[in-house]
């Protein structure tokens, strides 16, 4: 039960919408006379709420798909029930009711556009311009095989959303430790996440994994000289230096 | 540019509008709605894609070209059937004059709106329009895109269906648990048809379609809750819009998914699909509808297939929702007819879940 309450608390987060919904649910259960509306907006959601707080149901859901129990709450028609109950409560005072309800929704909620994960789009891909420019720079030319490249953490999510022609020895799985991948200690990533990055240790690994390119954030501290380790600076794009690992050729398509 | 326009026109205008009559004709007088026609047709397009994509994906790792051809053929046939159905229906019900009188009735209804009602409609449309514009102007970061959007990019650029590890580019076995939800392949299909990069289709194009379409779901629910022309309908829509903007109370809510991960299957399930199911339950349980509701039942089956297309647990969640509605209705009406019919509508969910358990 503690786990269920924790899921519910996490779902509620910083807002009061679930509480508003429960109030709306009680109001509709008490006052709604239209049978179809009563069944769909009050009685079915009530059953879902009861089921959600029923521990054996949580065990069943965990068996089917662990970690997604909060999705049961998606079945609750919160917005519809709050809006409908509020409008019914307002009765004939619809303008006043609208203003009051809108105010309640604004004050008890959290604006999505203040979310830290939202930023002004730099292009229609909705990917950072730097990623697109870097990918265009190292993209294989006509008749060449796909290339392998190592990127800093902040670019890893985006690279392959732009091009399938650029492959990476490791990807997002390295950035989510709780996934517990048994190969989450990729030798290259182990060197890349150190500060300073030891180029003498990194360069042989790049060659071993057939990586033609290395992309580094210019602010990253380096140990050793790129040139002495066979890494030639080919381009600088925004905050990133792009190095070509001369030890690995770019293969031609057969 | 011509390919982009033609592809977009086919996928997001002609196919939904052409297929829609197959459902709306079966809805009786309640089917006289262009919005309802579009919504039905769009959902049918997705369902058809799921039904074709799953077997092709399982049998042919390099099946993207076959998939595109098969889906185009199926959509073209369904469009032809839909247009023929609409033609036969119109012929039987007064031909062109019926269309004209329908148009006149709509215009009369709009002219008959009070100023207060018009203002609230403007407010509702402004709230919805604001969200559409923001979805274009702002980009949201979500780690899952490194899987789903990349699957779309891979299918479009390499023609390989779910056999390449998205994070790295190495080969992998078919991951059926994720792959049975074929929305990323639909994005790849849209990318092929329009010639637009799959990341742009996901992040920019789909929200322009999905956000208004989700509000069509709210609109349909509003029409069941309030009488036509009632000022409370636009008020309800405007409030729904505000609740979405301020619904970011945690990362788990429908609203957060709706505006921050609009293009992902989970978001479409949590918003569009479940809203449509809610609306269909209101329609089906409306006693005034009587036996004329065949189109609604057909759409319920369709939307169940769409729920499976969105996320691996989608089929379970939608079946659970409909199942609970069936049990409550059986209890309240003291009649097992609805429970039995709801159960039949969930047969696609059952087949999908059996596949998921046996194959994944």
């Amino acid at each position: 039960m503690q786990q269920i309450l924790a899921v519910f608390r996490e779902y509620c987060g910083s807002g009061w919408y679930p509480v508003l919904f429960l109030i709306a649910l009680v109001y509709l259960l008490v006052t709604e006379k239209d049978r179809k509306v009563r069944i769909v907006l009050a009685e079915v959601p009530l059953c879902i709420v009861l089921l959600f707080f029923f521990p054996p149901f949580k065990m069943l859901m965990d068996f089917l798909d662990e970690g997604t129990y909060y999705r049961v709450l998606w079945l609750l028609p919160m917005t519809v029930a709050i809006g409908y109950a509020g409008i019914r409560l307002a009765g004939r005072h619809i303008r006043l009711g609208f203003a009051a309800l809108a105010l309640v929704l604004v004050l008890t909620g959290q604006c999505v556009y203040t979310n830290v994960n939202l930023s002004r789009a730099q292009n229609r891909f909705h990917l950072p311009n730097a990623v697109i420019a870097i990918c265009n720079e190292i993209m294989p030319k006509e008749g060449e095989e796909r290339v392998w490249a190592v990127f800093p953490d902040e670019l890893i999510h985006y690279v392959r959303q732009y091009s399938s022609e650029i492959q990476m020895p490791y990807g997002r799985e390295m950035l989510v430790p709780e996934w517990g991948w048994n190969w989450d200690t990729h030798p290259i990533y182990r060197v890349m996440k150190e500060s300073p990055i030891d180029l003498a240790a990194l360069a042989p690994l790049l060659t071993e994994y057939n990586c033609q390119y290395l992309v580094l954030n210019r602010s990253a501290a380096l140990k050793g000289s790129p040139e002495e380790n066979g890494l030639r600076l080919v381009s600088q794009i925004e905050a990133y230096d792009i190095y070509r690992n001369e030890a690995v050729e770019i293969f031609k398509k057969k | 540019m011509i390919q982009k326009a033609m592809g977009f026109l086919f996928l997001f205008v002609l196919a939904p509008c052409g297929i829609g009559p197959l459902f709306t004709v079966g809805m009786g007088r309640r089917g006289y709605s262009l919005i309802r026609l579009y919504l039905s047709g769009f959902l049918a397009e997705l369902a058809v894609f799921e039904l074709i994509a799953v077997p092709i994906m399982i049998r042919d790792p390099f099946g993207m070209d076959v998939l595109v051809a098969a889906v185009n053929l199926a959509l073209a046939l369904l469009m032809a059937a839909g247009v023929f159905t609409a033609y036969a229906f119109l012929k039987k019900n007064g031909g062109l004059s019926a269309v004209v009188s329908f148009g006149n009735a709509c215009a009369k209804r709009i002219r008959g709106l009070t100023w207060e009602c018009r203002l609230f409609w403007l407010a509702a449309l402004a709230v919805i329009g604001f969200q559409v514009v923001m979805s274009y102007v702002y980009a949201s970061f979500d780690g899952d895109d490194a899987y789903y959007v990349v699957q779309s990019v891979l299918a479009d650029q390499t023609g390989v269906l779910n056999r390449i590890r998205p994070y790295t580019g190495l080969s992998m076995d078919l991951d059926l648990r994720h792959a049975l939800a074929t929305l990323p392949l639909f994005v790849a299909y849209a990318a092929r048809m329009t010639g637009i990069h799959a990341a742009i289709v996901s992040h920019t194009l789909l929200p322009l379609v999905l956000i208004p379409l989700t509000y069509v779901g709210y609109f349909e629910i509003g029409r069941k809750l309030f009488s036509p022309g009632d000022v409370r309908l636009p008020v309800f829509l405007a409030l729904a819009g505000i609740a979405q903007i301020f619904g970011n109370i945690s990362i788990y809510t429908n609203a957060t998914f709706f505006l921050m991960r609009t293009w992902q299957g989970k978001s479409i399930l949590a918003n569009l699909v479940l809203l449509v199911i809610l609306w269909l339950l209101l329609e089906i349980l409306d006693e005034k509808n009587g036996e004329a509701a065949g189109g609604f039942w057909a759409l319920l089956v369709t939307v169940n297939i769409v729920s499976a297309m969105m996320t691996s647990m989608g089929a379970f969640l939608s079946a659970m929702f409909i199942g609970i509605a069936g049990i409550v209705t059986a209890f309240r009406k003291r009649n097992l007819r609805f429970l039995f019919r709801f159960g039949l509508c969930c047969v696609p969910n059952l087949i999908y879940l059996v596949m998921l358990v046996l194959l994944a």
Side-chain angles (χ1 to χ4, degrees), chain A residues 6 18 22 30 55 71 94-95 112 127-128 144 154 160-161 167 172 175 192 219 225-226 228 237 242-243 247 249:
Chain A
L22 291 176
V30 172
R71 291 184 194 174
I94 197 68
R95 286 179 226 171
V112 72
L127 303 172
E144 289 178 348
E154 68 270 23
R160 289 178 52 76
Q161 290 187 54
Q167 305 180 120
R172 182 196 180 199
L175 309 180
M192 284 290 284
S219 64
S225 155
E228 285 171 13
I237 293 173
I242 304 169
Y243 294 96
E249 65 173 310

Side-chain angles (χ1 to χ4, degrees), chain A residues 11 14 35 43 65 71 74 95 110 112 117 119 121 124-126 158 160-162 164 167-168 172, chain B residues 116 135-137 139 141 144 157 166 168-169 177 197 203-204 245-246 248-250 252 254 266 287:
Chain A
Y11 187 90
S14 58
R35 191 150 72 167
E43 290 170 354
D65 195 8
R71 291 184 194 174
W74 287 352
R95 286 179 226 171
Q110 181 78 41
V112 72
N117 287 321
S119 60
R124 286 180 301 140
F125 293 86
H126 284 202
Y158 301 110
R160 289 178 52 76
Q161 290 187 54
Y162 180 68
S164 61
Q167 305 180 120
M168 301 188 293
R172 182 196 180 199
Chain B
E116 183 189 33
S135 77
Y136 186 85
V137 174
F141 167 76
D144 285 351
Q157 295 184 353
T168 59
R177 185 180 162 269
H197 193 286
H203 293 144
T204 309
I245 294 175
F246 289 90
N248 178 41
I249 54 175
S250 72
Y252 303 109
N254 310 48
K266 286 171 272 196
E287 278 130 358

Side-chain angles (χ1 to χ4, degrees), chain B residues 42-265:
Chain B
F42 185 76
L43 290 169
E45 185 180 330
L46 295 178
V48 165
F49 185 88
E50 168 78 0
L51 292 176
I52 294 173
V54 169
I56 290 180
M57 174 187 69
I58 291 172
R59 289 180 64 89
D60 185 359
F62 302 95
M64 190 61 197
D65 294 336
V66 179
L67 178 59
V68 171
V71 172
N72 282 343
L73 180 67
L75 291 183
L77 289 175
L78 284 170
M79 278 167 67
V83 171
F84 178 76
T85 307
Y87 174 74
F89 179 79
L90 281 174
K91 202 174 168 186
K92 194 176 157 190
N93 292 279
L96 264 183
S97 60
V99 179
V100 173
S101 64
F102 171 69
N104 288 339
C106 290
K108 193 177 169 190
R109 196 183 293 169
I110 292 169
R111 279 199 300 272
L113 293 176
T114 61
W115 277 107
E116 183 189 33
C117 196
R118 289 180 190 191
L119 281 175
F120 275 120
W121 269 114
L122 273 179
L125 292 174
V127 172
I128 297 165
F130 174 71
Q131 291 171 28
V132 173
V133 171
M134 291 298 273
S135 77
Y136 186 85
V137 174
Y138 277 81
S140 71
F141 167 76
D142 185 71
D144 285 351
D145 281 358
Y147 191 95
Y148 299 113
V149 176
V150 175
Q151 285 289 26
S152 303
V153 172
L154 288 167
D156 176 34
Q157 295 184 353
T158 68
V160 177
L161 304 177
N162 293 318
R163 261 72 165 200
I164 299 173
R165 195 177 291 282
Y167 300 145
T168 59
L170 294 166
S171 298
M172 67 172 189
D173 290 332
L174 182 60
D175 173 14
L176 265 173
R177 185 180 162 269
H178 289 104
L180 282 177
T182 59
L183 184 72
L185 296 185
F186 179 80
V187 172
Y189 166 67
R192 280 278 176 100
M193 291 297 291
T194 56
I196 299 173
H197 193 286
I200 299 179
V201 173
S202 285
H203 293 144
T204 309
L205 186 63
L206 279 188
L208 300 184
V209 176
L210 290 171
I211 291 174
L213 205 58
T214 303
Y215 283 100
V216 169
Y218 281 112
F219 173 74
E220 293 293 5
I221 291 167
R223 284 218 301 202
K224 291 306 294 177
L225 299 176
F226 309 107
S227 53
D230 192 331
V231 68
R232 292 178 299 175
L233 177 55
V235 167
F236 172 74
L237 271 179
L239 287 172
I242 293 168
Q244 298 310 304
I245 294 175
F246 289 90
N248 178 41
I249 54 175
S250 72
I251 58 170
Y252 303 109
T253 65
N254 310 48
T256 303
F257 275 75
F258 178 50
L259 293 178
M260 294 204 57
R261 305 160 75 159
T262 316
W263 53 90
Q264 288 181 9

Side-chain angles (χ1 to χ4, degrees), chain A residues 179-244:
Chain A
W179 282 359
W181 293 65
N182 57 8
W183 41 286
D184 63 355
T185 46
H186 195 285
I188 297 181
Y189 187 63
R190 207 179 301 155
V191 179
M192 284 290 284
K193 71 179 180 182
E194 293 296 328
S195 183
I197 297 170
D198 186 351
L199 293 178
L202 183 62
L205 288 169
L206 293 177
T207 304
E208 188 184 334
Y209 281 84
N210 285 316
C211 294
Q212 289 96 344
Y213 292 100
L214 170 69
V215 180
L216 291 175
N217 191 314
R218 211 167 298 135
S219 64
L222 302 178
K223 184 179 165 190
S225 155
E227 291 75 21
E228 285 171 13
N229 289 288
L231 300 169
R232 177 170 58 86
L233 183 69
V234 289
S235 186
Q236 293 187 308
I237 293 173
E238 293 193 16
Y240 301 96
D241 290 339
I242 304 169
Y243 294 96
R244 172 82 173 89

